[in-house]
Amino acid sequence: LVLLRALGPFPLSTRTASAFRSVIGAVWLPGLGAALSSIGYCAILAFSSLLYADHGWRPVWLAFTAFGGALISARWMFGHLPDRFGGARIALVFIWVQAAGLILMGCAGHVVTASAGAALAGLGYSLVYPGLGVEAVRGVSADNRGLAMGIYTVFLDVAMAIGSPALGWVADRNGLNAVFVVSAA
């Protein structure tokens, strides 16, 4: 209720349809990259515990914890890299790391290998999303950065809405290991 009365830091601009279109034009490519990289995130969220349970690996939560721990640690330690070297360049390097981790999970025959793959995937995903986010806001004016980030985030949401069910179809046809290999691709 207090925030309803708070003034904005600067006057609100009125957005036109052309401004919306120009923001979409600036955001769609980084957004598409973020959506595709988020398929691996979907795989970890929806299928890692199922993979562990299917193989009889314990604890079943270990993959998600390894992923999350590596993601948080990497963002903490390396979060400055997109600003320093460019978001697209850093995202490209880190997407390969994420893909390697997902392939390792898909080919794993032991809980330790799968957990190492999950951690590697978390390390990789850690800077893809913010790196491409830097690119998403770079091409828009300061008064449209919030809109750009909103549209950019929609790509992640769509990837989760479509990616998880699509990976479920892959699991049904080819098994749980295939989910991680397909998401790496």
Side-chain angles (χ1 to χ4, degrees):
L1 292 174
V2 171
L3 292 176
L4 291 175
R5 295 181 2 182
L7 298 176
F10 41 80
L12 297 175
S13 64
T14 57
R15 289 196 171 57
T16 64
S18 64
F20 187 79
R21 278 193 295 267
S22 71
V23 170
I24 292 272
V27 170
W28 79 269
L29 188 57
L32 180 61
L36 292 173
S37 71
S38 295
I39 300 297
Y41 181 55
C42 294
I44 299 288
L45 286 177
F47 297 99
S48 61
S49 60
L50 296 174
L51 177 73
Y52 276 49
D54 188 49
H55 288 287
W57 298 335
R58 298 287 183 260
V60 296
W61 48 261
L62 186 57
F64 187 71
T65 301
F67 178 89
L71 181 132
I72 292 165
S73 297
R75 284 185 178 168
W76 181 282
M77 292 185 298
F78 307 123
H80 67 284
L81 293 178
D83 294 323
R84 186 168 180 192
F85 298 107
R89 184 174 291 145
I90 294 301
L92 179 62
V93 169
F94 277 74
I95 194 65
W96 287 107
V97 174
Q98 179 189 11
L102 292 165
I103 290 169
L104 188 59
M105 282 190 78
C107 297
H110 191 270
V111 66
V112 174
T113 308
S115 299
L120 196 57
L123 171 67
Y125 185 68
S126 68
L127 292 186
V128 174
Y129 184 76
L132 292 174
V134 166
E135 300 302 323
V137 299
R138 178 178 298 184
V140 300
S141 63
D143 63 331
N144 284 319
R145 287 187 181 148
L147 177 62
M149 282 307 296
I151 294 170
Y152 174 70
T153 303
V154 165
F155 282 90
L156 169 66
D157 301 335
V158 169
M160 295 184 88
I162 295 171
S164 293
L167 291 174
W169 181 83
V170 168
D172 187 46
R173 298 276 189 256
N174 300 302
L176 289 165
N177 289 75
V179 165
F180 298 94
V181 175
V182 167
S183 64

